[in-house]
């Protein structure tokens, strides 16, 4: 890798990023007003559980270690109040239906089996989500994937269980500040498979200090021994206010080279073993059952987020609660959430105008390996993506990031474009979002 953009600028899993959100004016618009004219027949439901048993050195998720003094119970009480307010705001003038659901965090299985039952009850009885008839994905960890918790999730309709392993090599796990024993990881995977939940996902990380192609292959093969329906391969990032961020000076060109080399090795290893690449990070076994909802598209359909780390999307406003990484700040925000009585108005967010809607659609479509139909883009926005983004798409083409063999009418990344997703995504950010993110003070 010589010259050109650096491949690891940032992971774009949502746009605009929460660091571009700001506190909304008081009074903020009501949820009922925000959702009044929105289509609500194919929503996504996400419940955020901000608790973990340990905090990994690379983690910048909104989560805290432990939950003293019945904090989980008080958190679920607040989640129940929020769900009640949100469902009332959605109204009954038109159909309200959820096409997909997910529990994330944090670690949802930090909750006890009884608390997980209550979480499912909130999703079903308060929000009206039919968890047994839609895809339901739940995140877990080796130490919290206990038989009783997993049994609850399987019984309540989970179709996908995702476990963060990161590395099967114990020395690498320690280097990533994730203490775990391989025997415990293998036992957890066995319990997950015993549930019969149709999709197992295993998360792995490359770019760990001391990791080689040989040790990376050992981790990949250890994961493949469980024939997971999905594998996510994540590049390691060192972010401010995380455990590794306090120890490491940050990225350099040599580390970029290591991560890119390990990415390509992992990609080729999985492709040769019957996995299809869905995005830079996601690989699915060719015979895996379908997991996504046929009638939900993240680029266009709304999302309802419950919990203090969740975000919600309408066509005009993305909103959430305050965001932090530092443990003291996270604890303060969780405490404020559990004490909230009125959930009828959003607190922080970012308005999405026509230009941002175009950027979001292009970005979230293009980062998928299947690419984007230019006709569907033109139908929604009334113009070609090449007319809307001539400079950006021209640059991607010059860099070899667009697939010249894609059929007419399909805008798709080349293998090198997928490899550089973490540079390509940020290149589509608007100047206003870039400025807001740059002005954000980490906390």
């Amino acid at each position: 890798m010589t010259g050109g953009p650096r491949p690891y600028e940032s992971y774009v899993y949502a746009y605009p990023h929460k660091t571009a959100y700001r506190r909304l004016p008081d009074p903020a618009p009501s949820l009922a007003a925000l959702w009044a004219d929105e289509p609500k027949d194919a929503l996504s439901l996400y419940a955020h559980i901000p608790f973990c048993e340990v905090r990994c050195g690379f983690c910048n998720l909104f989560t805290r270690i432990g939950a003293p003094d019945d904090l989980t119970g008080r958190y679920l009480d607040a989640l129940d109040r929020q769900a009640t307010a949100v469902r009332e705001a959605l109204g009954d003038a038109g159909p309200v239906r959820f096409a997909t659901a997910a529990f994330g965090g944090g670690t949802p299985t930090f909750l006890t089996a009884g608390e997980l039952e209550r979480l499912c009850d909130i999703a079903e009885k308060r929000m009206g989500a039919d968890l047994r008839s839609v895809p339901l994905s739940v995140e877990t960890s080796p130490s919290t994937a206990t038989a009783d918790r997993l049994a609850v999730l399987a019984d309540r309709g989970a179709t996908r269980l995702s476990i963060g392993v990161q590395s099967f090599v114990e020395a690498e796990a320690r280097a990533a500040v994730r203490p775990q024993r391989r025997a415990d990881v293998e036992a957890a995977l066995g319990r997950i498979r015993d549930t019969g939940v149709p999709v197992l996902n295993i998360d792995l990380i490359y770019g760990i200090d001391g990791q080689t192609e040989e040790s990376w292959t050992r981790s990949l093969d250890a994961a493949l021994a469980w024939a997971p329906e999905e594998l996510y391969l994540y590049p390691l990032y060192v972010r401010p206010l995380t455990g590794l961020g306090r120890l490491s000076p940050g990225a350099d060109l040599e580390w970029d080279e290591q991560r890119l080399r390990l990415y390509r090795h992992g990609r080729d290893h999985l492709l040769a073993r019957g996995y299809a690449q869905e995005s830079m990070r996601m690989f699915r076994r060719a015979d895996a059952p379908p997991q996504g909802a046929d009638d939900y598209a993240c680029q266009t359909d709304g999302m309802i987020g419950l919990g203090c780390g969740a975000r919600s999307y309408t066509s005009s406003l993305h909103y959430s609660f305050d965001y932090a990484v530092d443990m003291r700040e996270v604890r303060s925000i969780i405490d404020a959430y559990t004490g909230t009585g009125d959930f009828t108005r959003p607190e922080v967010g970012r308005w999405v105008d026509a230009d941002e809607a175009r950027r979001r659609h292009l970005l979230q479509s293009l980062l998928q390996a299947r690419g984007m139909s230019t006709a569907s883009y033109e139908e929604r926005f009334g113009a070609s993506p090449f007319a809307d983004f001539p400079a950006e798409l021209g640059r991607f083409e010059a860099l070899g990031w667009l697939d010249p063999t894609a059929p007419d009418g399909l805008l798709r990344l080349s293998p090198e474009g997928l490899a550089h997703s973490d540079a390509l995504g940020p290149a589509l950010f608007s100047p206003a979002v870039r400025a807001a993110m740059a002005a954000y003070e980490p906390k």
Side-chain angles (χ1 to χ4, degrees), residues 365-402:
S365 302
L366 202 53
L367 293 182
Q368 303 301 310
R370 62 180 175 271
M372 183 189 76
S373 161
T374 55
S376 67
Y377 181 96
E378 290 175 19
E379 181 180 356
R380 183 178 180 197
F381 298 112
S384 161
F386 296 97
D388 284 342
F389 301 99
E392 292 91 338
L393 292 176
R395 177 170 174 263
F396 298 161
E397 185 174 24
L399 288 166
W401 290 356
L402 300 183

XYZ file of all heavy atoms in Angstrom, residues 365-402:
295
model
N -26.078 1.700 0.811
C -26.247 0.732 -0.274
C -24.904 0.284 -0.827
O -24.667 -0.903 -1.062
C -27.091 1.341 -1.390
O -28.349 1.749 -0.935
N -24.015 1.256 -1.048
C -22.755 0.969 -1.719
C -21.836 0.111 -0.857
O -21.022 -0.660 -1.390
C -22.067 2.285 -2.090
C -21.035 2.256 -3.221
C -21.612 1.630 -4.470
C -20.539 3.658 -3.511
N -21.950 0.208 0.469
C -21.087 -0.583 1.339
C -21.516 -2.048 1.441
O -20.837 -2.852 2.081
C -21.030 0.040 2.744
C -20.338 1.409 2.808
C -20.290 1.911 4.242
C -18.932 1.353 2.214
N -22.633 -2.392 0.809
C -23.044 -3.789 0.709
C -22.470 -4.387 -0.577
O -22.475 -3.743 -1.630
C -24.573 -3.902 0.690
C -25.242 -3.279 1.903
C -24.784 -3.911 3.197
O -24.771 -5.135 3.349
N -24.404 -3.073 4.159
N -21.990 -5.608 -0.488
C -21.321 -6.212 -1.646
C -22.244 -6.322 -2.853
O -21.774 -6.287 -3.998
C -20.778 -7.595 -1.265
N -23.556 -6.452 -2.620
C -24.472 -6.605 -3.754
C -24.648 -5.318 -4.546
O -25.149 -5.335 -5.674
C -25.830 -7.109 -3.280
C -26.544 -6.164 -2.327
C -27.889 -6.738 -1.892
N -28.539 -5.903 -0.893
C -28.369 -6.019 0.404
N -27.540 -6.958 0.875
N -28.999 -5.234 1.265
N -24.269 -4.176 -3.949
C -24.340 -2.914 -4.657
C -25.715 -2.275 -4.624
O -26.603 -2.679 -3.860
N -25.916 -1.275 -5.474
C -27.144 -0.487 -5.480
C -27.708 -0.359 -6.883
O -26.978 -0.071 -7.836
C -26.856 0.919 -4.932
C -28.083 1.807 -4.813
S -27.656 3.525 -4.411
C -27.073 4.117 -6.004
N -28.987 -0.571 -6.990
C -29.684 -0.336 -8.258
C -29.771 1.163 -8.502
O -30.329 1.900 -7.679
C -31.084 -0.951 -8.203
O -31.923 -0.395 -9.192
N -29.243 1.615 -9.617
C -29.337 3.050 -9.918
C -30.777 3.440 -10.228
O -31.184 4.572 -9.957
C -28.420 3.419 -11.092
O -28.740 2.598 -12.223
C -26.955 3.217 -10.725
N -31.570 2.515 -10.758
C -32.976 2.820 -11.040
C -33.748 3.071 -9.754
O -34.588 3.983 -9.693
C -33.609 1.674 -11.829
N -33.474 2.281 -8.693
C -34.183 2.490 -7.429
C -33.786 3.823 -6.809
O -34.628 4.508 -6.207
C -33.893 1.341 -6.453
O -32.529 1.343 -6.054
N -32.529 4.202 -6.964
C -32.082 5.498 -6.473
C -32.802 6.621 -7.232
O -33.302 7.572 -6.620
C -30.571 5.621 -6.631
C -29.993 6.928 -6.136
C -29.459 7.037 -4.857
C -29.995 8.078 -6.938
C -28.939 8.244 -4.388
C -29.481 9.283 -6.480
C -28.954 9.360 -5.207
O -28.444 10.550 -4.751
N -32.843 6.515 -8.548
C -33.481 7.553 -9.366
C -34.980 7.628 -9.078
O -35.565 8.719 -9.052
C -33.237 7.266 -10.850
C -31.790 7.469 -11.272
C -31.547 7.067 -12.713
O -32.534 6.987 -13.480
O -30.382 6.825 -13.071
N -35.608 6.487 -8.821
C -37.034 6.478 -8.515
C -37.300 7.218 -7.210
O -38.298 7.936 -7.086
C -37.532 5.038 -8.411
C -39.019 4.927 -8.122
C -39.489 3.484 -8.027
O -38.666 2.569 -8.264
O -40.669 3.273 -7.698
N -36.420 7.070 -6.247
C -36.629 7.719 -4.958
C -36.261 9.203 -4.987
O -36.962 10.027 -4.389
C -35.808 7.004 -3.881
C -36.045 7.600 -2.486
C -35.285 6.896 -1.402
N -35.567 7.527 -0.107
C -34.834 7.357 0.978
N -33.790 6.567 0.964
N -35.167 7.982 2.102
N -35.166 9.544 -5.671
C -34.646 10.906 -5.565
C -34.789 11.744 -6.836
O -34.485 12.937 -6.826
C -33.169 10.860 -5.146
C -32.952 10.238 -3.798
C -32.309 9.023 -3.679
C -33.411 10.867 -2.647
C -32.102 8.428 -2.434
C -33.216 10.292 -1.394
C -32.564 9.068 -1.292
N -35.201 11.121 -7.933
C -35.456 11.890 -9.143
C -34.223 12.275 -9.927
O -34.298 13.134 -10.818
N -33.079 11.696 -9.602
C -31.845 12.001 -10.330
C -30.909 10.806 -10.232
O -31.068 9.942 -9.359
C -31.179 13.252 -9.764
N -29.922 10.773 -11.105
C -28.938 9.706 -11.084
C -27.934 9.941 -9.960
O -27.575 11.091 -9.669
C -28.194 9.664 -12.423
O -26.970 8.972 -12.306
N -27.440 8.869 -9.320
C -26.388 9.077 -8.321
C -25.138 9.699 -8.925
O -24.408 10.426 -8.240
C -26.110 7.663 -7.788
C -26.622 6.730 -8.838
C -27.780 7.437 -9.462
N -24.898 9.470 -10.217
C -23.731 10.066 -10.866
C -23.906 11.567 -11.048
O -22.923 12.314 -11.057
C -23.481 9.391 -12.224
C -23.124 7.938 -12.104
C -24.097 6.955 -12.260
C -21.830 7.547 -11.815
C -23.772 5.611 -12.153
C -21.492 6.210 -11.695
C -22.472 5.238 -11.857
N -25.161 12.015 -11.180
C -25.427 13.449 -11.260
C -25.350 14.092 -9.879
O -24.903 15.228 -9.733
C -26.794 13.688 -11.882
N -25.796 13.362 -8.862
C -25.778 13.908 -7.496
C -24.383 13.907 -6.882
O -24.049 14.796 -6.088
C -26.722 13.102 -6.600
C -28.187 13.426 -6.830
O -28.463 14.490 -7.427
O -29.043 12.624 -6.424
N -23.564 12.904 -7.226
C -22.247 12.761 -6.599
C -21.153 12.515 -7.644
O -20.440 11.507 -7.599
C -22.270 11.605 -5.583
C -23.276 11.790 -4.482
C -24.507 11.163 -4.539
C -23.000 12.621 -3.400
C -25.450 11.357 -3.534
C -23.930 12.816 -2.392
C -25.165 12.189 -2.460
N -21.021 13.427 -8.598
C -20.042 13.184 -9.675
C -18.610 13.141 -9.165
O -17.822 12.301 -9.622
C -20.269 14.371 -10.618
C -20.868 15.447 -9.748
C -21.715 14.716 -8.760
N -18.239 14.037 -8.240
C -16.852 14.080 -7.771
C -16.507 12.824 -6.975
O -15.447 12.206 -7.200
C -16.631 15.325 -6.912
N -17.399 12.440 -6.073
C -17.112 11.280 -5.220
C -17.043 9.993 -6.039
O -16.089 9.210 -5.913
C -18.181 11.142 -4.132
C -18.158 12.261 -3.102
C -19.058 13.427 -3.468
O -19.371 13.584 -4.668
O -19.450 14.187 -2.550
N -18.044 9.769 -6.898
C -18.052 8.525 -7.674
C -16.936 8.532 -8.717
O -16.359 7.470 -9.011
C -19.417 8.331 -8.333
C -20.572 8.053 -7.340
C -21.901 7.964 -8.082
C -20.311 6.778 -6.551
N -16.613 9.696 -9.251
C -15.483 9.778 -10.180
C -14.172 9.411 -9.497
O -13.319 8.726 -10.083
N -14.004 9.879 -8.269
C -12.788 9.541 -7.514
C -12.738 8.053 -7.198
O -11.681 7.416 -7.325
C -12.764 10.351 -6.220
C -11.582 10.040 -5.302
C -11.515 11.046 -4.170
N -10.497 10.705 -3.193
C -10.741 10.061 -2.053
N -11.996 9.693 -1.757
N -9.774 9.786 -1.220
N -13.875 7.472 -6.793
C -13.894 6.040 -6.495
C -13.541 5.229 -7.741
O -12.799 4.233 -7.664
C -15.273 5.614 -5.994
C -15.710 6.283 -4.707
C -17.050 6.299 -4.344
C -14.796 6.891 -3.858
C -17.464 6.907 -3.173
C -15.194 7.506 -2.678
C -16.545 7.512 -2.339
N -14.050 5.674 -8.879
C -13.750 4.968 -10.129
C -12.261 5.062 -10.453
O -11.635 4.069 -10.843
C -14.592 5.544 -11.259
C -14.434 4.798 -12.579
C -15.387 5.301 -13.635
O -15.837 6.472 -13.539
O -15.672 4.535 -14.582
N -11.682 6.246 -10.264
C -10.259 6.433 -10.554
C -9.384 5.586 -9.635
O -8.306 5.131 -10.033
C -9.895 7.912 -10.421
N -9.832 5.374 -8.413
C -9.076 4.558 -7.463
C -9.264 3.064 -7.690
O -8.615 2.245 -7.024
C -9.506 4.908 -6.031
C -9.040 6.264 -5.494
C -9.810 6.625 -4.225
C -7.535 6.230 -5.216
N -10.150 2.693 -8.608
C -10.416 1.277 -8.856
C -11.361 0.655 -7.849
O -11.407 -0.562 -7.697
N -12.152 1.500 -7.185
C -13.054 0.997 -6.140
C -14.421 0.601 -6.668
O -15.202 -0.029 -5.945
C -13.217 2.051 -5.041
C -11.982 2.252 -4.214
C -10.808 1.562 -4.295
C -11.801 3.235 -3.189
N -9.906 2.040 -3.386
C -10.483 3.069 -2.684
C -12.606 4.224 -2.649
C -9.968 3.869 -1.664
C -12.107 5.020 -1.626
C -10.797 4.837 -1.144
N -14.753 0.980 -7.900
C -16.022 0.577 -8.497
C -15.800 -0.598 -9.434
O -14.771 -0.691 -10.106
C -16.661 1.747 -9.250
C -16.985 2.992 -8.419
C -17.690 4.036 -9.282
C -17.835 2.647 -7.203
